[in-house]
Amino acid sequence: MLLDSDAESDVAYELCQVVGRAILPYRSSGDFGTAFFFQGGDDPVGESLLTAADLVSGSGGELGLRASVTEPAGVAPAVISEAEIVPGWARFAGDGVAVLPTAGLHRYAGDGGWRWRVQPVPAGIAAGPGVIARLGADASSAFVLAHGVREDGSRPLEVAIERVVRDGDAVLITTELPPGYVGAPVFIVQAEPTGEVSPYCLGLVLPGVGAHPVATFDRIRAVLPVTPGDV
């Protein structure tokens, strides 16, 4: 669904309010990207942190924390080294996805005297096969929530309003995104049979040149109930 510019701005604003605290900056081996919390169901065990597999292929990964995603104020560190989190990332190179069960993140926070205050992307808006099938060669509005990289090294939360198309089995963002956007969630809106417009999280941004493939949620869901390890 392609929206006009005013409607796109409204959707971008609403997404920041609803899932803005799901999004965190990530860095590994000099590569900058984004990770996000996803809640796979009502059970807290179903919560995961998701990003692109290419980002976690090296060593020395760090997850950045914004003041708005932790409480009480001033207690949490500015960054968390992934070496301190057990279990670690499960990397699925064939699907382009990396999954980190968040139990270790919550234990780390508890040991440090603080807790997470996040807004995971809920399972109810994760795009299913029907949503993905309705995409076509005609461009649809896409919203990428990510932590970009400014010249001064800061990593603010940003929203890029782009275009997404489906070419056969591939779903693509049609332009090249700035540094820091790989791993970020991609959102779209679609009209329902009732006439209402619903938002969906399409998947996450994969590396690309000139355009970016999207690892859609049908691929992500297939690797969520797993034991961490390289597959």
Side-chain angles (χ1 to χ4, degrees), residues 49 52 95 109 118 129 138 158 195:
L49 193 70
D95 296 292
V118 296
D138 293 332
E158 303 172 346

Side-chain angles (χ1 to χ4, degrees), residues 17-46:
Q17 303 311 301
V18 175
V19 295
R21 293 202 314 269
I23 320 298
L24 296 176
Y26 184 77
R27 183 185 66 82
S28 179
S29 302
D31 292 327
F32 293 93
T34 296
F36 66 99
F37 283 84
F38 173 70
Q39 181 64 55
D42 295 333
D43 189 340
V45 174

Side-chain angles (χ1 to χ4, degrees), residues 46-226:
E47 185 185 72
S48 301
L49 193 70
L50 306 177
T51 193
D54 282 11
L55 288 177
V56 303
S57 60
S59 59
E62 291 182 342
L63 190 66
L65 301 185
R66 307 197 317 273
S68 62
V69 302
T70 69
E71 56 185 10
V75 178
V79 297
I80 299 175
S81 169
E82 66 181 16
E84 300 179 84
I85 305 302
V86 179
W89 289 103
R91 182 174 179 271
F92 300 90
D95 296 292
V97 177
V99 180
L100 178 68
T102 60
L105 290 174
H106 289 288
R107 281 195 299 270
Y108 180 88
D111 290 345
W114 57 277
R115 57 188 174 271
W116 292 94
R117 182 174 173 263
V118 296
Q119 303 164 296
V121 174
I125 68 168
V131 172
I132 297 166
R134 288 198 290 271
L135 293 172
D138 293 332
S140 296
S141 299
F143 307 85
V144 185
L145 273 63
H147 283 273
V149 184
R150 298 284 174 86
E151 290 185 3
D152 62 1
S154 61
R155 304 286 312 275
L157 180 64
E158 303 172 346
V159 182
I161 301 175
E162 303 292 349
R163 300 290 178 260
V164 66
V165 299
R166 183 166 62 89
D167 182 8
D169 292 332
V171 175
L172 300 169
I173 293 173
T174 58
T175 57
E176 188 165 350
L177 294 166
Y181 278 65
V182 170
V186 182
F187 298 87
I188 59 171
V189 294
Q190 286 190 351
E192 304 296 339
T194 60
E196 296 181 350
V197 175
S198 298
Y200 291 98
C201 186
L202 187 58
L204 62 82
V205 177
L206 297 180
V209 177
H212 288 271
V214 175
T216 51
F217 252 103
D218 52 351
R219 294 163 61 182
I220 294 171
R221 284 187 181 278
V223 301
L224 282 178
V226 296

